[in-house]
Amino acid sequence: MQPMRAIVLTVAKYAALGFGSFVMVFPFLDMFLGALRTPAERLAIPMVYWPHDPQWHNFVRVFTELPMLTWFANSVIVTVAITTIQMVTSTMAGYALAKYRFFGSRLLLNAVLGAQMFPFFLLIIPIFFLLRFVPLAGGNDLFGQGGSGLLNSYAAMILPFAVTWYGIFLMRQSFMAVPDEIIDAARMDGAGEFRIFATVALPLIKPGLATLAIFVFIYQWNEVIWTMTVTRTAPELQTIPVGIYLLRGAFVDQSTLSLQQAAVCVSILPIMVVFLLLQRSYIRGLTAGGVKG
Amino acid sequence: MKTVGVRIPAGLRVVAALAGIAFGAASASPQPITTIRVATHYNAEQFAPMRACFREYEAQHPGIRIVHSQISYQDYLQTVLIARAGKSPVDIYSLYSIWAPQLIGTGALDVPPADIARFVRAGYAPATIDAATMKGHLWGIPTEVSVYQLVYNKVLFAAAGIHAPPRTLDDLARTAAAITRKNRQGNILVGGFAFDLSGANVTHTFYSEMYAAGVAPYTADMRHTNLRKPAAAMILGKQVDLFRRGVTSNSVLAGDFAGGGIGMAVMANWMKDTLRTSLGSRFEATVGVAPIPSDGRGGTMIYSFFWGVDAASRVKRPAWDLLRWLNSPRGKDGGLSCTGAMLDGMGDLTGNRSDLAAMRASIADPFSQQYVAALRAPGAVSQPNIWHASEADRVLKYYIELAWSGRMSPAAALAAADTDITAILSEQP
Amino acid sequence: MIAWLTSKRGAPYLFMAPVFVFAVFLFVGPLLFAATISFTDWEGVTAPRWVGLHNYTYLLIHDGFFLTSVWNTLVFAAGSVIVGVPLALIAAALISQSRYQSVWRTIYWLPMITNIVAVAYIWRYILNDTSGLLNRTLDVFGLGGPDWLTSTSTAMLSVIMVASWMSIGQNVLVFLSGLAEIDESYYEAARLDGANPLQLFWHVTIPLLRPTIVFVLITSLINALSAFVLMLILTEGGPARSTTVTGLYLYDMAFTDLRLGRASAAAYILFALIFVISLVQLRLLRRGSVEGA
């Protein structure tokens, strides 16, 4: 290919990627600029785009005027709890399906794969009401009547996410790469099955563990629909994105929108930092495990 | 449901009881604690005067504890319905009247005792008593009442050379056209009129215009609609006209008013607080209130809340007694009741006649006076408590928006709405 | 018993136990519960009333909006796949041929790790008809700009665009790993025959990427058919319900109107639709592909 043509194509390629990147990234900047606008700049016709008097203190107001700390605490509690529980259930089930041949293992594996087909909206309604009728919880009697069950509690936010089918699948893939010989050797040394799992197999799949943990953490931190459904009437339990959304009625007046935009910026920041720091292992793990189904 | 307040642990109660017995025959036997739970959509700040009253009542009535929790307005009905089922977690409700039919349908509300009914009939505006009356019974004590009127920006009017608010719907269109400003791309910068798609704005504006034209949207038996009447199609047609002329669009929002982005909108009196906060000292000079334009005799829609008591409550009589106390004038010369003080602080109106008189100072401004006059005028009709009112409203909103976008003619849209809403209404017991 | 559970024979059951308990109470149980409720009339308070197939026939025949919502769902799904997948493929192809791949990957991934409330609000501001960045940019070039989110003619298109923006990163990653597996020798052979880059892409890359493309198409379509949270927050399903997909319609039916029976029926109808479409898609696309999922 002639050099001129090669150069043109290369420039075109990077220009295209650059334009795409702009479209990917600039919207975040737009929100950030919005957080810095004064009410006067916002209400001006046309709206002043680049803030001349950046209202940095809006980011402080987010913490003083909004229950951001409560939301943040809830996000941390719920996300860490779910991530921990999912790591436990996924690794245990993944190990069983990878390293044992037992009655029903084939069926269970297909079930795990098939379960991913069921969309979440199918489960939202029944799980909500099943939680409502849990006996002896939240004021309920033995028959699950009279109170509000497990609703309005951390349990309601965490339990429906105790297991992730995709996580089981990923862990199974990871464990399958662990040579059976090592396991057998440990068995012959007299180690119990659980010891083998915890001290021999688990350490060998650290990259996979990291990938799953990060994946789950990010997904659960950002989870909105179930959390919103279950904490709509319990503001003290709301997580950051849910809290911001449910408080939207307070931002009817045009001039107060900068505070809302600052809150949105704050909601994005933690995950962005986590992601940028850990993205190498995260992305590597995802692409290795997930393509062919 | 989360309860807020102080609960005396059982152990301490026993100790207190023993102490009571030990320290003299003169002391009466220990009071059992009666807890009355109140749930409203008001937030802590709005509810503060009531909370002070609660403490006072508790001091006057040892043995009674009052506990308040807030349920969000959007989810109030659903929360009460879902959390209830059997025993009652809440004793006293503050109910938007349209929530009541479903609660009554599941047997959730207690019929007030005769003395409370007398108390209400003696002291409240008839329209608000109507709002709290369903199936022939009165179900509680009215509290806040909201009225709709046309709110307009006097500054924008003056700049366009208009000196009086419009009287008819055609006037409205002309005035809106004079005020509307667009940018180079044809998008609206200043909207002559605003409907605002959020919440009940769409349907309440429509209902208010219907009442102003003298036609109720629903029949008296509340099983049918009057949406197929020519008056309804005419009103919707004039609304569609505003869109076609480009003097309003779906992107013109109520929140734009303070920034000078709206010429006119139909708003309720409780917007006063928001507008006053945003406009500050410019409030009086900017905000004008006028009757809703119509080609008929004029009128408006009002809606109200009322205090109700749960039918399965174990403290019904104490709850009604508390409510009566909260809604009776305090102080020597018929001062504001506790409820009145709360509503006054929010800039709201009340159906309680004595409270309305006692609020004189805070509703003396032209903004409030127009609303009070509208409330007292003969054409002010209470929003009907139809079955599944919110659902019916959402259906109507859908068809109205279809007509606005030009996808359905007004008559066809209203006919379709009539079919769907009648199906909902036919389900009621 | 304990001995058996901790032995090699019994250990897998112990490992699978938490997942099994979860599956019973928080997966299969709710699915059966929802299915049962779909044959009743229930508002969550009084006892359910058996109505047989009435909810299903009502939705499919009498409900004035249900079928429109299904149409909206299909339009959204088709639109977001038609827009999102080719863009992801092109972006991945360009990235794979460029330097600083990890930088590009991170940039294109940012929207994926952002919570949906933030995404919706970011775009609500950008798509505002008078003050939003998009229309103001168009204005600079003398172009007009519609009411992106508030006009019935452009609202669905806007939702499709935002959904594509949000999910492009996921598909870029999958395509990248698929592209990485294509042997360089194929390209060399084609280049020797004188193929230019475009021909290389069309005649070498795409055929060899086929299984990955199939995978991406199937998963993207399934996700798009189930999506509804973006519509809820971005446009509240409006204007005039033009962006109300079935998932959103049934969510409101359940949690605002408390028509749990009908909502469950709607959920199963939508699920059946997704299931059928997935099967059809699998059959159509897997024919002749090199390796199946």
Side-chain angles (χ1 to χ4, degrees), chain A residues 1-143:
Chain A
M1 192 172 20
Q2 308 102 319
M4 187 59 191
R5 191 156 156 198
I7 292 175
V8 168
L9 281 176
T10 307
V11 168
K13 178 176 67 180
Y14 282 101
L17 279 179
F19 178 72
S21 302
F22 177 79
V23 173
M24 290 290 124
V25 172
F26 201 83
F28 295 100
L29 190 59
D30 182 85
M31 178 62 79
F32 181 68
L33 290 175
L36 297 174
R37 262 177 218 127
T38 63
E41 287 172 332
R42 171 178 303 282
L43 292 174
I45 296 173
M47 182 181 81
V48 173
Y49 193 75
W50 302 98
H52 297 120
D53 180 19
Q55 304 290 297
W56 295 105
H57 75 111
N58 276 341
F59 290 103
V60 176
R61 283 176 67 201
V62 165
F63 288 93
T64 55
E65 290 179 32
L66 302 175
M68 180 58 81
L69 288 173
T70 308
W71 295 337
F72 188 81
N74 289 329
S75 282
V76 168
I77 292 172
V78 171
T79 308
V80 167
I82 292 178
T83 306
T84 311
I85 296 176
Q86 280 193 4
M87 294 304 292
V88 170
T89 58
S90 301
T91 50
M92 281 171 57
Y95 182 69
L97 289 172
K99 289 297 170 207
Y100 293 90
R101 207 151 290 159
F102 57 100
F103 177 74
S105 61
R106 185 96 201 145
L107 181 66
L108 280 173
L109 180 60
N110 285 330
V112 165
L113 291 176
Q116 293 181 73
M117 244 189 8
F118 288 85
F120 194 52
F121 65 75
L122 205 46
L123 294 162
I124 295 182
I125 301 170
I127 294 183
F128 183 86
F129 284 91
L130 285 177
L131 288 175
R132 153 82 181 78
F133 291 119
V134 170
L136 302 176
N140 279 348
D141 59 20
L142 266 172
F143 295 102

Side-chain angles (χ1 to χ4, degrees), chain A residues 43 45-46 128-129 132-133 139-141 145-148 151-152 232-233 235-236 246 248 252-255, chain B residues 1-2 70-72 74-75 79 82-89 181 189-190 254-256 258-259 274 278:
Chain A
L43 292 174
I45 296 173
F128 183 86
F129 284 91
R132 153 82 181 78
F133 291 119
N140 279 348
D141 59 20
Q145 302 290 331
S148 55
L151 295 180
N152 292 344
R232 217 136 77 159
T233 55
E236 69 280 4
L246 291 179
R248 68 198 182 286
V252 163
D253 194 331
Q254 279 275 13
S255 53
Chain B
M1 216 151 0
K2 186 163 189 288
Q70 183 199 357
I71 307 177
S72 78
Q74 302 276 50
D75 298 297
T79 308
I82 292 175
R84 238 197 116 259
K87 316 200 180 79
S88 73
R181 271 209 296 138
L189 292 170
V190 177
D256 295 339
T274 314
S278 332

